[in-house]
Amino acid sequence: MKSKIKVVFAFFLAVLLVAPAVWAQEAVKVGIILPVTGEKAKFGEIERKSFEMALEEINAAGGINGKKLQFIFEDDTGRPDVARSAAEKLITKDKVVMLGGGYGSSETFAIAGVAQQSGLPFLVNTGSDNKITERGWDYVFRLNPPVGDYPKGLESFLTEVVKPQTAVILYENTNFGSSGSKEFQQTCERLGIKVVLMEGYEHGGVDFKPLLIKVKQANPDLVYMISYLMDASLLMRQSMELRLTPKVFVGGAAGFTLPEFQKNAGKASESVFSATLWYQTLPYPGAQEYFDKFVKKYGVETEYHGAEAYAAAYVIADALKRAKSFSPDDVRKALAETDMMTVFGPVKFIAYDNMTNQNKLPTYLVQWINGKLELVWPKDVATKPYVYPIDWAKVWQ
């Protein structure tokens, strides 16, 4: 009898020891590439936290048809060559079934090239250079709007409210900045706004005053800036110091929507507008709930970058659940057939404006009002009325 008990005990002990290993072997591995270090780390941090929060929920609900979903994170450090190496490592060494992530456009384009060449699906959630989905790559899908669509929520505000005659466009010399500046220049031409200065700059500068003196001399109605966090903050602080007084300052999303922008720029952030892709009060199922859960879990607010990552995690899970197998072709086919609602909005990959496998979504306009980022346009979804016209002397006193 005792020997039987020992055998049974040994059996159950073996099961307990082996079960985690079996569970790990059955895990469905997906590679997520983000900037965890470097100057874009704040964006990578908010996205990684959102991916991890979604992953916990997905696995708690049964994972991928009973198998655990596993995200293997790699740091691209904000550099295309590192991003390329990270993608190659995830594909050849970790044997992931697909790739996700992609923040900076230059890094995302590098990852996309590796994914296409390797024949492995890649779901982009932030990299926005139009060309990422203009190559006809059938293994590359993009959840977020391209940078060319960013100003669309701004257009009606300019034509109906501000009615600017002249504009200055400042942009970081990256794929994101260059592509976005050209697209906004075309927007200005279409709206009859004369671009009196369009100039790029190298990121990470500490003195933008020579550039901003040119802006002051041009005296535009509108200053449109495509910048990441630190540059966005410094551009506005130095604009305040030089007393630039256009009718409006508008950011092209990116650094202008993070909570750290207001902390870094201080009162120079007040009344600044920005294009945005999402806001927690939009009528997307679960949007406010995601925002509230993020704040409760991490103690800080989230914004559109986090919502992109959170939604991407659920799109990845949905595609893997529907895929006939985890072969690249079956996963690609499942992604191509995606038609679902997320906290970031509806996701369905279509072809438009020379892009393929591209999700199409509306964009919006936010403004920093009394130290808080408010959704101000279109009016029917606004959380607060916009502040305009703006008395910069009073704002900056």
Side-chain angles (χ1 to χ4, degrees):
M1 184 68 179
K2 288 182 179 179
S3 61
K4 288 183 178 179
I5 293 174
K6 288 181 180 178
V7 171
V8 172
F9 178 79
F11 172 78
F12 280 108
L13 181 61
V15 169
L16 289 172
L17 291 172
V18 173
V22 172
W23 175 249
Q25 288 172 5
E26 291 184 347
V28 183
K29 295 187 291 186
V30 173
I32 306 294
I33 305 173
L34 296 170
V36 180
T37 59
E39 64 176 26
K40 299 174 186 175
K42 282 294 181 183
F43 299 99
E45 179 184 1
I46 201 170
E47 295 199 357
R48 176 166 181 156
K49 286 177 176 177
S50 297
F51 268 116
E52 289 176 338
M53 190 167 76
L55 182 65
E56 289 178 10
E57 296 168 1
I58 291 165
N59 281 330
I64 307 301
N65 302 326
K67 294 185 177 182
K68 180 182 178 182
L69 177 60
Q70 179 184 358
F71 287 158
I72 301 176
F73 291 95
E74 288 290 333
D75 180 13
D76 65 27
T77 73
R79 293 170 50 194
D81 58 329
V82 178
R84 187 177 298 107
S85 296
E88 291 169 348
K89 180 256 185 186
L90 287 165
I91 294 169
T92 59
K93 182 179 178 182
D94 296 305
K95 307 296 183 183
V96 296
V97 299
M98 65 174 291
L99 296 172
Y103 175 73
S105 289
S106 300
E107 300 84 76
T108 302
F109 190 73
I111 299 165
V114 173
Q116 180 65 27
Q117 186 175 17
S118 303
L120 193 79
F122 173 33
L123 175 63
V124 179
N125 60 259
T126 300
S128 56
D129 187 348
N130 282 39
K131 73 177 184 180
I132 293 168
T133 48
E134 287 180 337
R135 290 294 192 265
W137 288 340
D138 52 347
Y139 284 90
V140 179
F141 298 78
R142 181 158 52 190
L143 174 146
N144 58 292
V147 69
D149 286 358
Y150 280 27
K152 289 189 175 179
L154 167 66
E155 287 184 27
S156 57
F157 182 74
L158 293 179
T159 56
E160 294 177 31
V161 180
V162 182
K163 301 176 183 178
Q165 299 298 308
T166 57
V168 162
I169 303 172
L170 305 179
Y171 61 95
E172 179 183 282
N173 278 324
T174 59
N175 285 11
F176 170 61
S178 298
S179 178
S181 64
K182 291 174 184 175
E183 293 291 336
F184 190 66
Q185 181 184 37
Q186 293 173 8
T187 297
C188 288
E189 290 175 359
R190 190 172 67 255
L191 299 181
I193 303 170
K194 183 179 180 181
V195 177
V196 293
L197 177 67
M198 180 172 168
E199 192 159 333
Y201 64 86
E202 296 304 316
H203 68 83
V206 295
D207 184 9
F208 291 115
K209 287 183 179 178
L211 174 61
L212 293 172
I213 287 171
K214 293 182 183 179
V215 177
K216 188 167 186 174
Q217 292 171 342
N219 192 29
D221 294 331
L222 162 68
V223 175
Y224 187 80
M225 298 165 285
I226 304 175
S227 312
Y228 290 120
L229 177 61
M230 297 311 297
D231 293 341
S233 304
L234 193 55
L235 279 164
M236 281 312 306
R237 287 208 309 268
Q238 294 182 355
S239 292
M240 180 178 69
E241 291 171 14
L242 291 172
R243 290 299 190 262
L244 268 65
T245 55
K247 289 183 177 180
V248 287
F249 287 99
V250 182
F256 293 89
T257 63
L258 282 182
E260 286 80 7
F261 170 70
Q262 194 278 330
K263 293 176 185 176
N264 294 342
K267 62 182 178 182
S269 67
E270 188 65 20
S271 299
V272 173
F273 290 91
S274 179
T276 194
L277 312 183
W278 179 86
Y279 197 84
Q280 62 268 21
T281 59
L282 288 170
Y284 297 142
Q288 186 67 58
E289 288 80 0
Y290 154 69
F291 181 87
D292 294 340
K293 284 187 296 185
F294 189 98
V295 172
K296 183 177 180 180
K297 186 175 181 66
Y298 299 114
V300 292
E301 292 188 352
T302 183
E303 41 76 87
Y304 82 83
H305 295 95
E308 287 172 333
Y310 186 84
Y314 274 94
V315 172
I316 288 168
D318 175 73
L320 294 176
K321 288 175 185 177
R322 290 184 289 102
K324 291 181 179 179
S325 75
F326 297 136
S327 72
D329 283 345
D330 282 343
V331 173
R332 179 186 58 78
K333 186 174 185 296
L335 272 172
E337 294 171 351
T338 296
D339 188 356
M340 65 182 292
M341 179 60 73
T342 71
V343 301
F344 191 64
V347 178
K348 186 175 184 179
F349 301 108
I350 61 172
Y352 75 94
D353 293 347
N354 300 320
M355 291 175 283
T356 56
N357 294 336
Q358 174 65 59
N359 192 30
K360 188 173 177 63
L361 289 168
T363 59
Y364 307 91
L365 189 66
V366 288
Q367 185 180 28
W368 287 97
I369 302 174
N370 297 324
K372 181 174 171 52
L373 191 66
E374 300 284 357
L375 182 63
V376 296
W377 195 265
K379 285 184 179 180
D380 61 341
V381 294
T383 57
K384 269 197 175 181
Y386 58 82
V387 176
Y388 184 83
I390 302 164
D391 182 349
W392 292 113
K394 183 177 180 180
V395 170
W396 290 339
Q397 68 182 0

